[in-house]
Amino acid sequence: MVAALNDTLLDPSRLPAVVADVQELIDAEVSDKTGASGLAVKGGYGAVKKVGPSIVPDAVEGLLPGFVSRLEPFWQDFGAAGGAGFGDFLSARSEQVADALLGVTDEKIEGTSKSAIKKVYSTMRPSAKKNVIEALPRLGALVEKHAS
């Protein structure tokens, strides 16, 4: 049995490095986007970062427990099944994993009273699943790096 992600990824001694790596993952994924939709993602992400340099790391830290909780069943299944890598494992279940992870942000947005945030999220949400699926190989590698 593998260690619970909650015990590894959210351990106070590891958390700053995990948050930094998740932010780097997001930066890399945004940077890789192409075409008109890529320009929109890059523009929106750049605007958010200009509003406040701590917005992204604060959001990552705030959402991380929910993401870790949603990844836990996949991590335990991966540990039981073994395999080449967690990124490959997640990619093979991409629809299910993306839905689980997006459930965290969907719930967070549903609970906010800030209509401007809800409006921006609603415009970005339709393409979010595709973007999450594309990030799964990097996410799997990040989890393996910090959970080992």
Side-chain angles (χ1 to χ4, degrees):
M1 180 174 195
V2 294
L5 291 180
N6 189 52
D7 295 338
T8 55
L9 299 182
L10 301 179
D11 180 283
S13 67
R14 294 185 191 200
L15 188 60
V18 173
V19 170
D21 281 356
V22 171
Q23 187 172 350
E24 286 179 24
L25 180 151
I26 295 167
D27 288 345
E29 287 294 323
V30 169
S31 177
D32 287 352
K33 300 299 174 210
T34 60
S37 63
L39 286 174
V41 169
K42 288 176 182 179
Y45 187 62
V48 166
K49 288 176 82 172
K50 283 182 183 177
V51 168
S54 68
I55 289 177
V56 174
D58 289 350
V60 168
E61 194 165 344
L63 293 170
L64 195 58
F67 289 139
V68 167
S69 174
R70 298 290 176 102
L71 282 172
E72 186 65 43
F74 299 104
W75 178 246
Q76 293 302 320
D77 289 349
F78 170 72
F86 191 47
D88 291 338
F89 186 87
L90 294 177
S91 293
R93 294 150 185 81
S94 60
E95 295 281 325
Q96 186 182 3
V97 176
D99 287 338
L101 294 173
L102 287 169
V104 174
T105 52
D106 290 348
E107 290 168 8
K108 190 77 162 176
I109 293 300
E110 193 175 300
T112 187
S113 61
K114 298 177 181 175
S115 59
I117 292 174
K118 284 184 176 184
K119 183 177 180 179
V120 170
Y121 185 78
S122 70
T123 63
M124 307 278 297
R125 179 57 172 89
S127 62
K129 187 171 184 175
K130 175 182 154 291
N131 293 325
V132 170
I133 289 170
E134 290 171 355
L136 292 177
R138 281 181 173 144
L139 177 62
L142 184 153
V143 169
E144 278 190 290
K145 173 185 173 183
H146 291 284
S148 303

